[in-house]
Amino acid sequence: IVGSLLGDGYLTKTTRGFALRINHGIAQSAYVDWKYNVLQTLTNSPPRNWRDTRYFRTVSHSFFDEMRAVFYPDSKKIVPDYVAQCMSPLILSIWIMDDGSRDKNQLRINTQSFSKAENEKLQSILRASLGIMAALNRDTQYYRLRVCAKSMPRVRQLVAPYIISSMQYKLSL
């Protein structure tokens, strides 16, 4: 859930609180189905296609209400301090499958929705929690993370058990 919230996942308002919505392009259907299988006990219906997307939503749950307060304190998604406490290879893997893209012998993580300070926080979390060196890369007026080539063997080692086959192109696994 945390990996998805760092990436493309978002918490949507329901009549009973909040639910996690997972939404990716049709080309990533296998990834949506994988996420559904992981979260299936928190859902009432399987993924659906709509136009050029595949999606599903969890049920409302008090945990999602708590995560909404942590990740969206003022209605805008942020990088909470909580991420430093729970960063793991699995969270990194999901985040990469959501927002990662290979760039020659490096990896970009598209974090442009976060501020420069939040990107610096993520950079520090990756270094302290997983031993991964990343730089900030400017994409027009926004910042994103670029995992340095010298850290790519470490990234591949950490995420190899979790990256599904249809997403391995993001890391050349």
Side-chain angles (χ1 to χ4, degrees):
I1 292 169
V2 172
S4 288
L5 289 175
L6 285 172
D8 295 329
Y10 62 96
L11 295 168
T12 187
K13 182 82 173 130
T14 68
T15 56
R16 294 186 178 157
F18 288 93
L20 178 66
R21 181 163 170 108
I22 301 297
N23 189 34
H24 294 282
I26 290 292
Q28 295 177 328
S29 290
Y31 181 45
V32 173
D33 293 345
W34 178 83
K35 280 186 173 183
Y36 172 76
N37 286 329
V38 171
L39 298 170
Q40 188 172 2
T41 59
L42 294 171
T43 67
N44 284 333
S45 58
R48 297 181 194 145
N49 294 339
W50 186 73
R51 295 190 183 173
D52 60 348
T53 63
R54 186 156 178 85
Y55 71 95
F56 70 91
R57 193 192 85 181
T58 68
V59 296
S60 301
H61 193 281
S62 60
F63 175 75
F64 297 125
D65 297 349
E66 294 168 23
M67 288 291 97
R68 177 72 187 196
V70 169
F71 276 88
Y72 299 82
D74 293 317
S75 298
K76 182 183 183 310
K77 190 190 290 190
I78 65 158
V79 177
D81 293 337
Y82 173 77
V83 172
Q85 301 165 24
C86 65
M87 181 56 72
S88 69
L90 176 59
I91 288 171
L92 176 63
S93 300
I94 292 166
W95 186 22
I96 288 170
M97 289 189 284
D98 271 28
D99 282 344
S101 61
R102 189 178 74 188
D103 188 7
K104 298 178 185 164
N105 59 348
Q106 298 179 354
L107 169 70
R108 276 194 322 253
I109 303 177
N110 293 300
T111 54
Q112 294 95 321
S113 65
F114 299 124
S115 69
K116 182 180 181 186
E118 289 172 310
N119 273 283
E120 289 168 342
K121 181 190 282 189
L122 289 167
Q123 184 182 22
S124 177
I125 291 168
L126 287 174
R127 183 175 51 250
S129 300
L130 301 173
I132 296 169
M133 301 302 294
L136 290 188
N137 173 252
R138 197 157 180 159
D139 176 34
T140 62
Q141 74 264 32
Y142 304 105
Y143 291 89
R144 64 183 170 200
L145 294 174
R146 182 181 297 274
V147 175
C148 304
K150 67 182 179 181
S151 283
M152 287 307 296
R154 174 87 176 136
V155 169
R156 287 184 187 100
Q157 172 196 18
L158 290 171
V159 304
Y162 306 106
I163 299 286
I164 66 170
S165 60
S166 66
M167 292 293 189
Q168 290 180 355
Y169 71 93
K170 294 187 176 213
L171 294 169
S172 300
L173 288 174

